[in-house]
Amino acid sequence: MTTSRRAKPPSFSTEEFRNALGMFATGVTIVTARSAEGVLVGLTANSFNSVSLEPPLVLWSLARAAASMAALSTGSHYAINILAANQKQLAERFATKNIDRWADVAFTEGLGGAPVLAGAAASFECFNRSRYDEGDHVIFVGEVERCTHNAGASPLLFHGGRFYTEHPL
Ligand SMILES: Cc1cc2nc3c(=O)[nH]c(=O)nc-3n(C[C@H](O)[C@H](O)[C@H](O)COP(=O)(O)O)c2cc1C
């Protein structure tokens, strides 16, 4: 048998791939930063995951085409805000283009100026440690310098293109 050093081209459509990925239920985050020019940036992201306990590392990925790419890739810090179930509107707002995402949003200034959103279930204030170009996204690895959580919060969940909250089995 010959083994190739390259993957076969996909035999499935992008839609099938997207639908299969949608079966992986996730939490929902808003990744935030303050740019070097002082502008607030933030976007909804569910590509968050844990990487390492010691040192404390997390990852998430950002589309190459994202408007916030320049600010997030060059800044020293960003905050990853894990949303609570009652923050669905915020998740939708921070995924919408050509609006003022920050209007009336309550936050405190975190490390490196990154906004830490009020009412989030948890927050991870990250040093922008490394980035890896892969396909149409860039994988960001953040080194967590500070984290907080609200043990009583119900998480916002995302699955198959819809928002949920938890239903313990
Ligand atoms: C639930 C959900 C999860 C998302 N996850 C990601 C993600 O992990 N990475 C990403 O680049 N975009 C993700 N998006 C899309 C961005 O939020 C959206 O494209 C946003 O407009 C990008 O903002 P920007 O172009 O201002 O950077 C997600 C959207 C939703 C609704």
Side-chain angles (χ1 to χ4, degrees), residues 38 74 92 143 145 149:
T74 60
E92 290 171 334
E143 184 158 357
E145 292 184 341
H149 77 286

Side-chain angles (χ1 to χ4, degrees), residues 25 34 48 54 58-59 73-74 91 100 120 152 166:
R34 189 182 283 276
F48 172 79
E54 290 180 33
V58 295
L59 70 73
S73 57
T74 60
D100 177 8
E166 87 278 31

Side-chain angles (χ1 to χ4, degrees), residues 128-145:
N128 188 2
R129 175 174 163 125
S130 58
R131 291 150 306 285
Y132 304 89
D133 288 350
E134 279 298 349
D136 55 13
H137 278 61
V138 175
I139 301 163
F140 282 69
V141 175
E143 184 158 357
V144 179
E145 292 184 341

Side-chain angles (χ1 to χ4, degrees), residues 31 43-48 59-63 69 137-140:
V31 182
L43 79 148
T44 301
N46 71 338
S47 52
F48 172 79
L59 70 73
W60 62 287
S61 61
L62 181 61
M69 178 61 82
H137 278 61
V138 175
I139 301 163
F140 282 69

